[in-house]
Amino acid sequence: MNRVFINGRYLTQSITGVQRCAAETVRALDRLVVEGEYPAAEWTFTLLMPPSAPQPALQGIPSRAVGRGQGQWWEQLQLPLHTRGGLLLSFANVAPLAARLQCVTIHDASVFAVPDAYRILFRTWYRFLLPALGRRADRVLTDSRFSREELIRWARIPESKLTVVPLAGEHILAAPADPGVLARNDLGKRPYIVAVSSGSPHKNLQGVAQAVERAGRHDYDLVLVGGRYGGVFKDGGAESGTRIRRLGYVTDGELRALYENAACLLYPSLYEGFGLPPLEAMACGCPVISSNAASLPEVCGDAALYCDPRNPSDIAARISEILDQPDLRRTLRDRALARARQFSWSATARAVMAVAREIVR
């Protein structure tokens, strides 16, 4: 009997890409358990979570609140006491150093590669923790070949411990599209481009702002979703060559509707371990303008129009291509749908379990 414990700390955290990946991987694994892919005669699964965590909606994997407190203190000191005799799976970048048998997902090496994106205490802790986990964990999963090389370079994790397990984007289709988001924000009267960003410097909103100004066009809207924008964009739409819609955080249904009706997603990020928004947009049939940097060409393949994220003029040129060429938009839409179908959270969960089998055998 192989006992598997899942680190449920992600349930107490705000939803970003990291927590999204953890939640979707666990949901996919839960479905596979219900379908009998991992029979109880061979495997038992338990999600361990802090006492303050909300109860997850799982059908095949039981959850149990353990220990006291939450956050790093719970994860590092309380969680290991309850994982003895089993394999611990952690999907959200960090894991307890004291766990004896474990596999951890580390999405990227951004705390080393783009340090200005993080506060000093967070950066210092993660710069210590990630290499330490690389030494302690039995295996480390990461999202892309790019991230594997980055973790070898920056965190000195042995290549033999690293396994690439791609993510997916079809979760965006689980929520019905909410087209009311268009009317509520006065969208749809003319083409619009959507940009999804946390506002972190490496997401390159500064490059988006400069590209919008250099494009010099007034025939489309730019929709900003998520995060804070730090005064990057001017308040006056006419001054920056377009009308800006700052929507902040939106629901999955609203985001789906925005993707499905947009001229394209603009995603000129400087650094990504994977990049969920392009794959989400592709699953919705939304054309994508993507950065040609980091992991993004690996994820998007031939289904995106690429730009140099450090060249606002190049970003502006790609925007004009998308807006002016309906045939290009149709081609990219067809390629996007086909590309998105190559990824699934079930495939992610199965890849995780293939590594788990190697560890416990």
Side-chain angles (χ1 to χ4, degrees), residues 101-306:
L101 191 67
Q102 66 171 313
C103 176
V104 56
T105 297
I106 301 177
H107 294 287
D108 56 48
S110 56
V111 291
F112 298 97
V114 285
D116 291 346
Y118 303 96
R119 294 180 179 176
I120 187 168
L121 289 178
F122 181 96
R123 183 175 70 228
T124 301
W125 168 236
Y126 271 60
R127 282 186 163 194
F128 161 76
L129 185 60
L130 298 190
L133 284 172
R135 294 189 296 270
R136 291 281 295 169
D138 295 85
R139 292 288 284 275
V140 175
L141 309 180
T142 195
D143 307 339
S144 61
R145 295 188 299 275
F146 169 79
S147 279
R148 179 185 61 195
E149 297 306 312
E150 288 288 279
L151 290 172
I152 293 170
R153 174 190 177 191
W154 291 106
R156 306 299 183 191
I157 299 176
E159 184 175 4
S160 60
K161 283 193 174 185
L162 283 158
T163 299
V164 174
V165 176
L167 309 176
E170 86 269 22
H171 55 269
I172 195 67
L173 302 178
D178 178 6
V181 69
L182 304 181
R184 289 191 292 271
N185 293 280
D186 194 27
L187 294 170
K189 297 177 182 177
R190 57 182 185 169
Y192 70 85
I193 289 173
V194 62
V196 178
S197 172
S198 65
S200 179
H202 68 281
K203 299 296 184 179
N204 199 26
L205 280 179
Q206 188 67 52
V208 173
Q210 293 173 359
V212 163
E213 292 205 20
R214 294 191 186 189
R217 301 181 63 143
H218 299 263
D219 58 346
Y220 72 99
D221 294 318
L222 177 65
V223 177
L224 303 175
V225 173
R228 296 189 301 268
Y229 309 113
V232 170
F233 292 89
K234 298 176 183 178
D235 290 332
E239 293 178 49
S240 58
T242 188
R243 290 188 296 177
I244 308 297
R245 297 284 185 270
R246 300 172 176 86
L247 271 59
Y249 293 101
V250 298
T251 67
D252 282 0
E254 290 173 328
L255 183 57
R256 179 178 177 179
L258 290 169
Y259 283 145
E260 290 178 346
N261 292 279
C264 73
L265 168 73
L266 178 59
Y267 202 73
S269 183
L270 300 172
Y271 190 93
E272 293 289 339
F274 188 81
L276 284 182
L279 212 51
E280 291 175 341
M282 288 181 181
C284 296
C286 178
V288 173
I289 299 175
S290 169
S291 164
N292 62 11
S295 65
L296 291 167
E298 183 181 338
V299 173
C300 298
D302 67 351
L305 188 64
Y306 290 102

